[in-house]
Amino acid sequence: MSRLDLSLVEIEVRSGPPITSEQFAQAVAARKALSRFLMGYRGALEEMLTKIKILKEEFEIVHDYSPIEHVSSRMKSPESIMAKVDLRGLERDFTVIRGNIFDIAGIRITCSFISDIYTLADMLTNQKDVEVLQVKDYVAEPKPNGYQSLHLILSVPVFLSDRVEEVPVELQIRTVAMDFWASLEHKIYYKFDKDVPAHIVAELRQAAEVANSLDQKMERLRTEVNSLQT
């Protein structure tokens, strides 16, 4: 079964008229196919998290400093996946989804300094089993609303019993200041159901500039401190 059909997956738990044995068998097969599909993403997520953990521990031991402040991860729900598939007009097929939807598994890393973003990105993308599928540098070129972050789509191998799957993982790397702004902006847009008053949008844009100014100042201070210690 290659198609992702939530109506079949959900048929087991919906109330209503009794289902036929054929419908039940289809539902079980659909749920199994979906679980197997998502299992690959969970494996890729764990693979990337392990890589990040090793790098963090190495830096703390060898360099007495880690560019990684915080790491979080998430998996899209089947409902969210389907909503995005339908929004983009894609076929409900596992192969099509894997080739077009790259944020099913996602990791967010916060760093102290802007330079740490690129240091960490280089360390991860230079690993031999990691393939870079896409790079969107919203640090160098922020979005019009002020959003900043480095977005990477990385493909990592997941070794299953009968095959190796190359699975995409979305990686977002940003500073603490960038993350604070993005979190606040998300909450405000959610509160206003995305219809945010113009003056608040303008204030958010100014806040993004302040956050960027702080990041730049902290980067300069770090450079000065390091030069004084050498």
Side-chain angles (χ1 to χ4, degrees), residues 138-200:
Y138 298 118
V139 178
E141 297 183 15
K143 289 186 177 182
N145 66 345
Y147 174 87
Q148 287 188 290
S149 184
L150 178 64
H151 289 200
L152 306 170
I153 304 298
L154 306 178
S155 178
V156 294
V158 177
F159 294 86
L160 303 174
S161 61
D162 58 347
R163 66 189 185 280
V164 178
E165 290 185 349
E166 294 290 338
V167 183
V169 176
E170 182 190 50
L171 189 62
Q172 298 179 1
I173 314 176
R174 58 182 68 158
T175 65
V176 175
M178 294 172 191
D179 190 59
F180 173 73
W181 182 91
S183 176
L184 178 62
E185 192 251 11
H186 177 77
K187 290 175 182 177
I188 290 174
Y189 269 75
Y190 180 82
K191 187 175 182 67
F192 284 95
D193 194 24
K194 298 185 179 181
D195 188 20
V196 182
H199 73 281
I200 294 182

Side-chain angles (χ1 to χ4, degrees), residues 3-172:
R3 294 181 62 82
L4 180 60
D5 191 339
L6 283 182
S7 63
L8 287 174
V9 175
E10 294 169 348
I11 198 171
E12 293 178 88
V13 295
R14 287 205 309 258
S15 59
I19 63 175
T20 66
S21 58
E22 181 180 356
Q23 287 176 315
F24 181 78
Q26 289 176 337
V28 171
R31 183 177 292 276
K32 185 175 181 180
L34 176 60
S35 296
R36 179 158 186 156
F37 176 70
L38 294 179
M39 181 182 67
Y41 286 91
R42 285 192 292 271
L45 198 61
E46 290 299 322
E47 179 72 20
M48 284 304 306
L49 287 171
T50 298
K51 291 177 179 294
I52 294 165
K53 180 182 177 182
I54 291 171
L55 287 173
K56 187 174 189 297
E57 290 179 352
E58 180 196 5
F59 263 83
E60 290 172 347
I61 293 172
V62 178
H63 305 287
D64 294 324
Y65 165 78
S66 173
I68 302 170
E69 289 287 343
H70 180 70
V71 180
S72 61
S73 63
R74 61 104 184 97
M75 283 276 296
K76 272 188 179 297
S77 67
E79 293 78 10
S80 295
I81 296 170
M82 286 308 306
K84 192 161 189 175
V85 167
D86 292 342
L87 180 65
R88 294 181 57 179
L90 299 173
E91 185 181 356
R92 294 185 173 189
D93 179 87
F94 290 133
T95 302
V96 173
I97 292 169
R98 177 156 293 174
N100 291 272
I101 306 296
F102 297 130
D103 62 346
I104 293 176
I107 298 174
R108 182 176 298 156
I109 305 174
T110 54
C111 305
S112 294
F113 302 98
I114 295 173
S115 57
D116 287 340
I117 294 174
Y118 297 103
T119 297
L120 184 59
D122 286 343
M123 287 189 295
L124 289 170
T125 57
N126 286 334
Q127 296 193 16
K128 291 182 178 180
D129 60 343
V130 174
E131 180 184 359
V132 180
L133 300 180
Q134 189 180 97
V135 178
K136 291 184 179 180
D137 192 346
Y138 298 118
V139 178
E141 297 183 15
K143 289 186 177 182
N145 66 345
Y147 174 87
Q148 287 188 290
S149 184
L150 178 64
H151 289 200
L152 306 170
I153 304 298
L154 306 178
S155 178
V156 294
V158 177
F159 294 86
L160 303 174
S161 61
D162 58 347
R163 66 189 185 280
V164 178
E165 290 185 349
E166 294 290 338
V167 183
V169 176
E170 182 190 50
L171 189 62
Q172 298 179 1

